[in-house]
Amino acid sequence: MADSADFVIVGGGIGGLVLARRLVLGGASVIVLEASGSLGGTVARQRVGGIEVDAGAESFATRGGTVAALAKSLQLGDDIVEPNPAGAWLQTAAGSAFRLPANSLLGIPGSPLAQDVVAIIGGRAGTRAFFDTLIPSFYGAKATTLGELVRKRMGRPVLDQLVRPISRGVHSADADELLLDQVAPGLRQAIVREGSLARAVLALRETTARAGSAVAGIRGGVFRLVDALQSDLSRFGVDVRLDSAGHDLRLDRVSVRGTAITGRVVAAAPGLLRDTDDRGTRVTLATLVVDQPLLDAAPRGTGVLVAEGAPGVRARALTHSTAKWAWLAEAAGGRHILRLSYDDAGDDLADVARADAAALLGVPIPAAAVEDFARAEWYRPNRYTPTPDDVPLVGESIAGTGLASVVARSEALAGTLLGDADG
Ligand SMILES: Cc1cc2nc3c(=O)[nH]c(=O)nc-3n(C[C@H](O)[C@H](O)[C@H](O)COP(=O)(O)OP(=O)(O)OC[C@H]3O[C@@H](n4cnc5c(N)ncnc54)[C@H](O)[C@@H]3O)c2cc1C
């Protein structure tokens, strides 16, 4: 095996795999180094109740069409599916459950005085949020995070009671840590165009509605993207090395178990370029397969996002996966698949998840109704701060959370790198 190639990609998650495929299709030779025994990183499968389900990412944002285009190029276009439009619910800090307001984006209401908003935040906070439509559009224009923008334009109750639970549940991060332009591309420009945050939300929602659902999935599981990428890489001759952690990254070399692998290095794994063992924030997923016919009615739509401090619940989000995805309901044959996420999970996770699911769905789930349980543990990277002479970086730590951002970054960097190589 040659220990040199045009490009050496360190990390075999979606970010690294998409980059590798683009580079090899552009005529370059590529080595992919993956520390673990399998590719895909946080896009992974697990078997629970005899069914293969996603153990990490289970959907993707449709904005920009980036992931759909990738899926189509991998012959998975016909398997792109939309979720149940019923939508999710919110469990408030006071312990009540509400449908998420209809006209909202990341929890930001497009109509702050609408009944479904005021029911959650109250009339006074709704009125404060409505001020957003009266103040100049440049107010808050310099906000770097989602939290800062919402606090400034619509006030704290909207941030705390609507936006934060969604940031926590969907992005595993606080709204004050989510970079505005990464998590809501185009929102800043829409505020200027439309004159207010509320009107910008309505405008972006309309654009998305015209394009279909804001998120989509893959029939059979999002992990199929990884299988398809892996088989393309092997077909095109990419040298994929599992159980090969890269260390000591330089622009033109990386070390694996003391051996130098040379080529233009790209870091595609979170944390690689920091001098620290900090792996980021732990996220634990509990997946339950439940036989409880009372769940057939999908009492909380596709799931529940939980506000911090909601009494008696430790999960920060629950996805009723079989209510969300028709293909999964079919595969589960009348059983229900519930997926709960936790910041802090102990050994008693199976019991805690069962109790949380019952509380959040408002349906009893006795121990005997649980047919199977699986636990998956992940780390989310902390935000990366680039330094001038770093090797190029793809993946979540620079692109932001989510497949749409990660894939877009890899596609863009591939273009730059191939352009450099030509020039
Ligand atoms: C529980 C969970 C649910 C999610 N749900 C969604 C969702 O529904 N929709 C969505 O769009 N996004 C979701 N995401 C986010 C999405 O999965 C990620 O943003 C994306 O997959 C990150 O890809 P990546 O390539 O940057 O990193 P990763 O997936 O973390 O891959 C990095 C890879 O690098 C490897 N590696 C690490 N160190 C080294 C080293 N030294 N040498 C070689 N290899 C190394 C790792 O083993 C890993 O395989 C979810 C994430 C989690 C954790």
Side-chain angles (χ1 to χ4, degrees), residues 50-288:
I51 311 164
E52 281 208 318
V53 298
D54 283 306
E58 51 93 61
S59 64
F60 55 86
T62 53
R63 86 179 112 79
T66 323
V67 183
L70 172 71
K72 283 178 194 152
S73 75
L74 294 167
Q75 275 71 56
L76 291 173
D78 291 343
D79 290 325
I80 296 175
V81 287
E82 291 195 353
N84 177 349
W89 286 54
L90 176 72
Q91 185 87 1
T92 66
S96 315
F98 295 94
R99 257 179 222 287
L100 278 179
N103 281 322
S104 57
L105 179 79
L106 296 164
I108 309 167
S111 311
L113 291 173
Q115 226 176 358
D116 58 0
V117 176
V118 170
I120 299 172
I121 62 174
R124 183 194 280 231
T127 307
R128 161 63 190 91
F130 183 74
F131 281 174
D132 155 69
T133 58
L134 308 175
I135 55 182
S137 63
F138 59 77
Y139 191 71
K142 292 212 172 97
T144 50
T145 66
L146 177 68
E148 197 183 340
L149 175 79
V150 174
R151 193 183 300 107
K152 283 205 162 121
R153 292 207 61 98
M154 289 197 170
R156 198 170 258 288
V158 167
L159 175 61
D160 290 346
Q161 296 174 50
L162 292 172
V163 176
R164 279 215 154 95
I166 294 187
S167 305
R168 250 163 59 90
V170 177
H171 295 278
S172 315
D174 188 79
D176 280 327
E177 286 161 16
L178 290 173
L179 294 180
L180 180 60
D181 297 324
Q182 278 183 354
V183 75
L187 184 61
R188 193 190 293 280
Q189 295 80 348
I191 296 173
V192 176
R193 215 172 42 240
E194 304 294 329
S196 74
L197 176 55
R199 282 196 287 269
V201 164
L202 294 177
L204 291 187
R205 280 190 56 91
E206 207 181 299
T207 315
T208 313
R210 258 186 266 122
S213 169
V215 295
I218 304 276
R219 184 179 295 112
V222 166
F223 62 80
R224 291 183 61 209
L225 286 174
V226 173
D227 295 348
L229 280 163
Q230 186 164 9
S231 70
D232 257 18
L233 296 194
S234 114
R235 191 149 56 96
F236 300 136
V238 172
D239 178 357
V240 176
R241 303 186 188 180
L242 300 178
D243 301 309
S244 299
H247 296 287
D248 196 16
L249 273 69
R250 300 277 185 271
L251 279 173
D252 60 353
R253 75 189 54 214
V254 47
S255 165
V256 176
R257 290 184 285 272
T259 302
I261 316 275
T262 57
R264 191 150 178 208
V265 171
V266 181
L272 274 181
L273 299 175
R274 287 191 308 258
D275 267 344
T276 163
D277 288 335
D278 177 12
R279 297 174 70 188
T281 311
R282 190 170 71 150
V283 178
T284 306
L285 285 188
T287 304
L288 301 168

Side-chain angles (χ1 to χ4, degrees), residues 3 7 93 95 98 109 208 220 273 289 294 328 366 401 414:
D3 277 338
F7 293 98
F98 295 94
T208 313
L273 299 175
V289 179
L294 289 174
L328 197 51
T401 307

